[in-house]
Amino acid sequence: LPVPIAVFFLLYKERMVPCFNGSSHPLLSADELALETRPGDKDELSTAGQRPHIAAGHEDLFSCCQSKNFRGVSFTYFAVHITGALVLFMTDGIVGEYSGFVYSYAVEEPLAVVHKVAGYLPSLFWGFITLGRLISIPISYRMKPATMVFINVVGVLITFLLLLIFSSSVVFLFVGTASLGLFLSSTFPSMLAYTEDILQYRGCATTVLVTGAGIGEMVLQLLVGSIIHDRGSYSFLVCGMIFGCLAFTFYALLVFFHRMYPKPSPELDEASPEKAAVPEDTGQYQR
């Protein structure tokens, strides 16, 4: 509870809560966190501080959802958002449902793993996710984000297929768990980097992708838990295989829409609904 209360307080002080923005004073008179000013700009900043100042994206909590920001935008712009969010919906959902139910799957028939041994499976899974994220950092310097996402999605699909084929092998269950952790580890950051390369976005697209991933992690756990309760533990791997196929399908659609998406140009870049308002020639704050 302290975290959402503190966030609400900051939103209130920054006048970002639509119903409670009458009497409070903003904490910052200018967007000092997003802009580095030169020494010669101090006078301009002090003058701008005397005028009513509203930073881009600060005037409303839901400003990125306003229809005026999307006039003239092609349908592929929305398609990239949706398919990218659906890929993360499936992959993060697999992370949640696998870590949540692999223990239950292992202790049931036909594997009937000892409870103490089965308890190592979630730890193994999260351990290899951590290891995979460390390994993916140097790999990302040499490999494009789209290629990394492709390898991850295909790796998840193949791993679930092998888990289904060798469903009676305890040894391969441990090997498959480690393999899934490696392939799922860098899917989320690679997808963010891939969509950023396509959209050149600043803010709202991140919200769509993170929300899709969070909802997937919540919904798929609930769905798989209900299916296991009704159909038995073997459905755990079947659900994972289905989710892996869906993730690959949505990734293929994302690549398709990427090829249809218009390449950025100076004119389109200025008119982009995700373009943040920045000074023309600050000489600073570069990627």
Side-chain angles (χ1 to χ4, degrees):
L1 287 178
V3 175
I5 290 173
V7 171
F8 179 82
F9 174 75
L10 289 174
L11 293 174
Y12 173 76
K13 293 298 291 183
E14 288 295 312
R15 298 180 181 178
M16 295 173 66
V17 181
C19 300
F20 304 96
N21 57 358
S23 59
S24 64
H25 299 284
L27 297 176
L28 297 176
S29 59
D31 197 359
E32 298 173 2
L33 297 178
L35 175 64
E36 295 179 14
T37 57
R38 293 171 294 182
D41 295 335
K42 290 183 178 178
D43 295 336
E44 296 181 9
L45 182 60
S46 61
T47 305
Q50 298 174 359
R51 298 193 301 266
H53 175 80
I54 300 177
H58 249 58
E59 67 269 11
D60 191 351
L61 184 62
F62 305 102
S63 60
C64 65
C65 301
Q66 294 178 355
S67 59
K68 65 181 181 180
N69 294 332
F70 303 107
R71 292 172 184 168
V73 178
S74 64
F75 81 97
T76 54
Y77 176 83
F78 300 99
V80 169
H81 281 75
I82 294 171
T83 51
L86 287 174
V87 172
L88 293 181
F89 180 93
M90 293 298 165
T91 54
D92 270 49
I94 291 173
V95 172
E97 62 96 6
Y98 195 89
S99 62
F101 295 107
V102 65
Y103 172 85
S104 302
Y105 168 74
V107 298
E108 297 290 336
E109 296 293 340
L111 294 176
V113 181
V114 179
H115 288 265
K116 184 177 180 180
V117 177
Y120 292 125
L121 286 167
S123 299
L124 179 69
F125 180 69
W126 286 110
F128 271 84
I129 283 182
T130 305
L131 178 63
R133 286 172 178 169
L134 292 173
I135 295 174
S136 65
I137 294 173
I139 293 177
S140 64
Y141 284 97
R142 300 178 176 274
M143 193 175 296
K144 294 182 179 179
T147 306
M148 293 185 66
V149 176
F150 175 77
I151 293 174
N152 291 335
V153 174
V154 172
V156 169
L157 194 60
I158 294 175
T159 302
F160 269 116
L161 179 61
L162 294 176
L163 283 171
L164 282 170
I165 295 174
F166 301 103
S167 59
S168 60
S169 173
V170 177
V171 174
F172 194 82
L173 177 62
F174 278 83
V175 175
T177 299
S179 175
L180 274 179
L182 284 176
F183 286 120
L184 289 169
S185 60
S186 60
T187 305
F188 185 86
S190 298
M191 179 58 69
L192 286 179
Y194 181 32
T195 52
E196 183 180 8
D197 289 343
I198 302 173
L199 300 171
Q200 301 296 321
Y201 60 77
R202 294 181 184 271
C204 289
T206 310
T207 303
V208 174
L209 297 177
V210 172
T211 302
I215 294 176
E217 192 167 357
M218 176 181 64
V219 170
L220 294 192
Q221 286 191 68
L222 178 64
L223 178 63
V224 172
S226 301
I227 294 175
I228 291 176
H229 182 268
D230 295 335
R231 300 291 181 180
S233 61
Y234 188 76
S235 59
F236 165 72
L237 295 180
V238 177
C239 290
M241 184 70 186
I242 294 173
F243 298 150
C245 291
L246 289 174
F248 181 81
T249 302
F250 292 135
Y251 173 76
L253 290 174
L254 175 61
V255 174
F256 173 73
F257 290 124
H258 177 201
R259 296 184 180 278
M260 295 179 61
Y261 189 75
K263 293 182 178 180
S265 63
E267 293 79 8
L268 289 175
D269 205 30
E270 290 297 328
S272 173
E274 297 287 349
K275 186 72 174 178
V278 294
E280 290 183 0
D281 186 23
T282 61
Q284 308 200 23
Y285 198 69
Q286 299 178 354
R287 278 184 65 89

